[in-house]
Amino acid sequence: MPTIFSHAVVATAAGQWWRRMPASFWWWTVICAMLPDIDVISFSFGIRYEDMFGHRGFTHSIFFAVVIGLIAAYQVSSNPESRGPSPGRLFLWFAAVTMSHGVLDAFTNGGRGIAFFSPFTNDRYFFPWRPIQVSPIGAGFFSPRGLRVLASEAVWIWVPSAIIALSARAFRKRT
Ligand SMILES: [Zn+2]
């Protein structure tokens, strides 16, 4: 993974395109972006990385993104504060945010690939171009390796996210 916070940074930056959303929308956006890495607990159950429920397995799949997208859209649209976007649009948003996690992981240069089509097949995929330094699992960030990870995320994730967020805000101001 890129570090877990970088997943949330991308999602909240892209979320700037939405107008006046309730707090629950932002909570779910952050949860959806980070949730796939809940699978790191599988290591403590002795599940191997390459297994279906191993790291970057089922919780990084399209199937999981659809399920979480439905749950999040239901939760946010049943909130009385959120009059506005239809449940269908919210579903597309939250499924895309959850999916963005595995997609970003597939741009990292280490670990195993992503099981996009789990539970139907456990084949693991990467993109051919992988510029993002993989984040060490459970290791400190103040090691030379940790700093290299943060530097690569700054270039490939934080700067593009800031550009997305600023352009969304500029655009929204004019409309
Ligand atoms: Zn991940």
Side-chain angles (χ1 to χ4, degrees), residues 1 7 37 55-56 60 101 105:
M1 56 174 173
H7 287 292
D37 275 343
H55 186 40
R56 294 182 165 177
H60 287 60
H101 182 113
D105 280 357

Side-chain angles (χ1 to χ4, degrees), residues 43-127:
F43 287 117
S44 41
F45 293 108
I47 298 172
R48 288 170 308 159
Y49 201 140
E50 58 271 31
D51 290 345
M52 181 162 108
F53 290 105
H55 186 40
R56 294 182 165 177
F58 177 69
T59 60
H60 287 60
S61 67
I62 297 169
F63 183 88
F64 183 82
V66 167
V67 172
I68 298 301
L70 285 172
I71 295 171
Y74 175 76
Q75 291 292 333
V76 173
S77 58
S78 59
N79 175 340
E81 283 173 70
S82 83
R83 278 168 270 115
S86 65
R89 282 181 64 200
L90 288 171
F91 161 70
L92 289 177
W93 168 251
F94 290 119
V97 168
T98 311
M99 203 57 245
S100 77
H101 182 113
V103 169
L104 277 180
D105 280 357
F107 282 113
T108 59
N109 64 0
R112 302 281 165 97
I114 315 304
F116 284 124
F117 304 107
S118 179
F120 307 105
T121 159
N122 196 29
D123 291 348
R124 301 294 188 106
Y125 298 88
F126 271 127
F127 292 120

